[in-house]
Amino acid sequence: VVNQTCPDFELLLVNDGSTDSSYEICKKWEEKDNRIKVISKENGGVSSARNLGMELAKGEYLFFLDGDDWIREDCLEKLLSHMTTDVDLVISDYQEVDDEGYRSTLNLQHKHFEGMLTKLDAIQDVYESQIYPKVIWGKLYRKELWENIRFNHMAYSEDTYAMFQVLELTEKIYS
């Protein structure tokens, strides 16, 4: 993340009550890079960690990245290049990679074309998709979309629930 070709971003690392050395590792990164801010809280689960991060984020856009995710060095730059004044959400492609670096041969692209999507197209894509774009990661959002949306504490699919709420508020989506 710190090697992004787009250098102007804020990286919030939310330590959700880890009991291993995660907090110390995050603090070392915070000392090395002034774009990084470490937030430590009691364990409350992924929903509470995401909600706290959203509340403290200062930027115009939000991008969610889970602990097991990896992004290309040009990820933010490419997503930002499609975030014009009338676009609310930019959806990227993704690829599954296992711990050994093996890339899945499955076609994981959610879209059939590149360009603008209507809200109806995006919602239909969510219903038809097995995983993506039901999840919140891999997308760049206008922060204002999340103003009144928070993640509910759920056993699973908390991001799918939030994603439907966000899609209801979007006008223009680039995919």
Side-chain angles (χ1 to χ4, degrees):
V1 175
V2 297
N3 292 327
Q4 289 296 298
T5 55
C6 169
D8 186 23
F9 63 89
E10 171 189 43
L11 176 59
L12 301 179
L13 300 177
V14 181
N15 175 42
D16 187 36
S18 66
T19 56
D20 58 10
S21 59
S22 296
Y23 176 74
E24 289 78 17
I25 293 169
C26 290
K27 288 302 281 183
K28 285 180 184 175
W29 276 102
E30 183 180 45
E31 291 169 10
K32 289 182 192 178
D33 194 321
N34 64 1
R35 299 172 298 181
I36 298 174
K37 181 177 180 183
V38 177
I39 302 140
S40 196
K41 60 181 265 328
E42 285 187 35
N43 180 265
V46 67
S47 293
S48 69
R50 287 176 175 159
N51 289 338
L52 180 59
M54 283 192 303
E55 290 169 19
L56 298 176
K58 295 181 177 129
E60 184 179 350
Y61 307 108
L62 291 176
F63 182 83
F64 297 93
L65 190 67
D66 291 339
D68 62 348
D69 293 344
W70 173 87
I71 57 173
R72 292 173 31 156
E73 290 179 353
D74 61 351
C75 176
L76 296 179
E77 180 180 8
K78 285 188 172 193
L79 293 174
L80 280 167
S81 73
H82 298 296
M83 186 60 84
T84 60
T85 56
D86 61 341
V87 173
D88 296 314
L89 167 64
V90 179
I91 301 174
S92 70
D93 286 330
Y94 79 103
Q95 187 172 32
E96 285 186 356
V97 180
D98 66 16
D99 291 339
E100 287 78 40
Y102 174 75
R103 295 174 189 262
S104 172
T105 57
L106 298 173
N107 180 9
L108 298 175
Q109 293 184 353
H110 67 285
K111 58 190 177 187
H112 306 290
F113 64 95
E114 183 174 336
M116 296 302 290
L117 281 174
T118 66
K119 182 188 309 190
L120 182 61
D121 289 337
I123 291 172
Q124 183 177 355
D125 213 10
V126 169
Y127 277 113
E128 291 174 358
S129 170
Q130 293 298 312
I131 297 174
Y132 198 77
K134 294 177 184 179
V135 294
I136 57 145
W137 47 260
K139 299 166 184 66
L140 185 66
Y141 306 86
R142 283 200 187 282
K143 184 179 175 186
E144 62 197 36
L145 289 173
W146 291 90
E147 192 172 297
N148 296 310
I149 298 173
R150 291 296 175 263
F151 293 96
N152 292 329
H153 180 70
M154 301 169 71
Y156 56 89
S157 298
E158 78 288 334
D159 50 352
T160 301
Y161 180 76
M163 196 66 220
F164 276 110
Q165 293 178 70
V166 168
L167 287 174
E168 283 296 321
L169 298 174
T170 60
E171 293 301 322
K172 293 199 179 172
I173 301 163
Y174 187 90
S175 177

